[in-house]
Amino acid sequence: MEQKKLDVVLGLQWGDEGKGKVVDVLTPSYKIVARFQGGPNAGHSLVFDGDSFVLHTVPSGIFRDGTQNVIGNGVVIDPVVLMEEIGAIEKMVGPITEKLVISKRAHLILPTHRMLDAASEAAKGKSKIGSTLKGIGPTYMDKTGRNGLRVGDILSGEFQERYDALKKKHFGLLAQYDFKYDITEYEKQWMAAVEELKRFAFIDSEVFVNEALQQGTPILAEGAQGSLLDIDFGTYPFVTSSNTLTAGVCTGLGIAPSRVGNVYGIFKAYCTRVGSGPFPTELFDEDGDKLREIGHEYGATTGRPRRTGWLDMVALKYAVMMNGVTDLIMMKSDVLDGFDTIKVAVAYEEKGKTLTSFPYDGGANVTPVYKEFPGWKTPLSGLRRYEDFPEAFKEYMRFIERETGCRIKIVSVGPDRGATVVRY
Ligand code: GDP
Ligand code: IMO
Ligand code: MG
């Protein structure tokens, strides 16, 4: 039997690569957009018609007509955040009840999960992960610990009972921390949001996605976070709690590995990271500040300033390998327009040794070895054809293609939907 395949969009760095924009740009070629992991820790920005919008749990295909959006089983959902988001979307485009379906198997973030996240981070002190404090870690812990509550449970007669039992368990855990909290108000909102959520179809999304695939429906899987935040292969323990790599598409949507088609790996023309953890090419100088200011590098979910640095080819090649990337998508090239010199890390040095593959500890103690490129000193944001790009920029792109062995399919030159150059 011929195996019809779906395509994947995911981030190759530490998140915030521009996945929201790319999914929105690609959606007209797809009939279904499905999120496969993460939760409200994500912030995916879309800019079109002079408006901008940040999505957290809802897939980034929601603003395009004729697209069905799926929240897959691998996603964790905070009903309050989700209903607020839905409210804001509906204010803009009208009801989306028909356009969004939710997996019965997706796990719920309880108010106490958020408290546990906050208590755990506070207790870690200096070694904190820099979590978004949305309850992600504790919810995935309850999933693998086989304690979790799922969307499908909302419709069972025992939902309140099971909620109370899990809450009680969490109160026991919270008692071990020196942490004050009060969930009364949030819990009220949470229960109300759970009720509101019932107007959406809770489905067996694995069956929905597989049947649609077999009928030849084009499907795009949307990742959250980035490859270097993957629970297994990221810069552990400074990671998120899900598999952000292509492998996560299989478990997060319930599709077989043989069903994965094109893997579009997104990266910024430089690097950013928000939260703690190793970042070999991080800049602490004027160049770093310039990247942050020109690139508006402030978190879409938390507003925190993002750490900034040069492109890291060691880390990028690792991410390309782990994801089986078929095509690259390069974002925010325009942010580098004004730089005289642009640097790229091509290796690391540690204790007199040269490393060319991404190390176990995420490069916590390495010094990057840089290759320098002359800047193009030309505004890219108005350009819409590859042929019009300045030669110095084309050289930067060719270098990345040679090093990774992947072609750059799309170049983004501004936040707007339209500021996009599709090469093939
Ligand atoms: P995501 O989490 O991967 O969806 O990325 P975010 O939305 O968190 O962060 C990307 C930011 O860069 C957003 O503010 C986007 O509007 C913006 N952006 C996306 N592509 C480009 C681009 O090519 N150039 C510039 N200057 N900004 C961009
Ligand atoms: P999008 O989808 C950037 C980071 C947090 C923290 C670590 C763990 O917008 O790219 P968590 O809340 O998951 O327990 O936080 O991961 N992080 C992100 N960084 N973009 C994201 O999502 C992120 N989601 C989580 O800052 O360092
Ligand atoms: Mg983001």
Side-chain angles (χ1 to χ4, degrees):
M1 188 171 70
E2 190 204 345
Q3 297 272 303
K4 301 258 171 54
K5 294 170 195 275
L6 54 67
D7 295 336
V8 182
V9 163
L10 47 73
L12 298 178
Q13 295 159 322
W14 283 285
D16 303 328
E17 297 89 350
K19 298 173 291 292
K21 168 178 169 166
V22 168
V23 170
D24 175 56
V25 165
L26 293 177
T27 296
S29 304
Y30 296 89
K31 282 267 173 268
I32 295 175
V33 178
R35 265 280 296 272
F36 61 88
Q37 45 69 236
N41 48 349
H44 294 181
S45 320
L46 282 64
V47 181
F48 56 92
D49 302 339
D51 259 320
S52 65
F53 207 93
V54 181
L55 295 168
H56 302 286
T57 314
V58 174
S60 303
I62 199 72
F63 291 107
R64 299 284 198 174
D65 291 334
T67 307
Q68 186 65 53
N69 292 266
V70 179
I71 299 178
N73 58 281
V75 177
V76 291
I77 297 173
D78 182 331
V80 176
V81 180
L82 178 55
M83 285 316 303
E84 270 174 12
E85 191 175 328
I86 289 170
I89 298 168
E90 293 190 327
K91 228 182 202 169
M92 227 169 124
V93 298
I96 57 164
T97 320
E98 305 297 319
K99 284 184 77 177
L100 181 68
V101 292
I102 306 171
S103 169
K104 284 181 193 162
R105 289 177 166 74
H107 278 246
L108 292 169
I109 302 175
L110 271 56
T112 38
H113 281 133
R114 288 170 62 114
M115 296 305 114
L116 282 165
D117 204 358
S120 156
E121 280 284 82
K124 282 190 166 139
K126 267 192 168 164
S127 56
K128 72 172 184 187
I129 289 160
S131 153
T132 59
L133 303 180
K134 301 293 176 189
I136 304 296
T139 305
Y140 278 114
M141 278 166 73
D142 270 341
K143 176 180 178 174
T144 51
R146 296 158 294 181
N147 298 312
L149 271 185
R150 301 185 292 172
V151 167
D153 297 336
I154 292 173
L155 303 177
S156 88
E158 299 151 18
F159 182 66
Q160 185 68 46
E161 224 176 305
R162 291 169 70 173
Y163 170 86
D164 288 337
L166 188 53
K167 180 173 80 170
K168 200 171 154 204
K169 196 170 204 157
H170 291 164
F171 281 165
L173 292 171
L174 282 160
Q176 295 167 27
Y177 294 97
D178 177 20
F179 184 78
K180 288 200 174 29
Y181 62 93
D182 178 4
I183 60 162
T184 327
E185 202 40 50
Y186 202 75
E187 188 176 50
K188 269 190 215 149
Q189 289 178 36
W190 196 88
M191 286 298 173
V194 163
E195 277 309 306
E196 286 178 56
L197 206 57
K198 288 182 182 167
R199 75 172 148 101
F200 291 90
F202 300 162
I203 64 164
D204 294 310
S205 61
E206 65 285 11
V207 176
F208 179 80
V209 168
N210 277 288
E211 285 184 355
L213 257 185
Q214 209 38 44
Q215 286 158 15
T217 310
I219 303 178
L220 185 63
E222 174 181 3
Q225 289 78 56
S227 304
L228 303 174
L229 290 171
D230 181 89
I231 182 73
D232 281 281
F233 299 102
T235 48
Y236 193 89
F238 303 101
V239 293
T240 190
S241 298
S242 63
N243 282 116
T244 59
L245 300 176
T246 307
V249 179
C250 297
T251 52
L253 290 177
I255 57 134
S258 55
R259 298 276 187 185
V260 175
N262 295 322
V263 178
Y264 299 124
I266 310 192
F267 69 103
K268 280 180 195 173
Y270 50 96
C271 279
T272 64
R273 170 162 208 171
V274 57
S276 328
F279 181 177
T281 62
E282 184 167 15
L283 291 169
F284 300 95
D285 59 5
E286 271 176 25
D287 282 343
D289 294 341
K290 213 166 135 185
L291 287 172
R292 186 175 309 104
E293 292 318 310
I294 301 173
H296 302 292
E297 296 296 356
Y298 296 90
T301 295
T302 57
R304 291 178 291 179
R306 294 175 183 149
R307 300 156 65 193
T308 53
W310 297 118
L311 186 64
D312 184 338
M313 204 50 75
V314 182
L316 189 66
K317 278 155 76 171
Y318 183 70
V320 166
M321 172 180 84
M322 297 306 295
N323 285 301
V325 171
T326 58
D327 305 79
L328 288 169
I329 298 181
M330 178 156 153
M331 310 300 290
K332 305 192 89 159
S333 319
D334 54 297
V335 174
L336 299 178
D337 285 351
F339 285 84
D340 294 323
T341 303
I342 290 158
K343 295 187 189 177
V344 179
V346 290
Y348 302 145
E349 262 168 16
E350 188 176 11
K351 293 183 193 148
K353 280 198 181 130
T354 303
L355 310 178
T356 51
S357 60
F358 196 66
Y360 163 80
D361 66 357
N365 300 303
V366 301
T367 309
V369 179
Y370 286 112
K371 180 175 165 61
E372 296 193 355
F373 291 81
W376 42 90
K377 309 284 280 182
T378 312
L380 296 178
S381 61
L383 306 180
R384 294 293 176 270
R385 299 185 327 157
Y386 175 76
E387 301 84 85
D388 298 334
F389 284 155
E391 190 50 35
F393 178 54
K394 285 185 184 163
E395 185 47 40
Y396 189 62
M397 288 176 62
R398 281 195 290 265
F399 171 77
I400 295 166
E401 292 187 321
R402 272 199 309 275
E403 285 287 308
T404 55
C406 271
R407 285 194 74 191
I408 299 174
K409 179 183 169 70
I410 298 174
V411 182
S412 174
V413 292
D416 193 83
R417 232 182 222 176
T420 312
V421 177
V422 181
R423 292 177 65 201
Y424 54 91

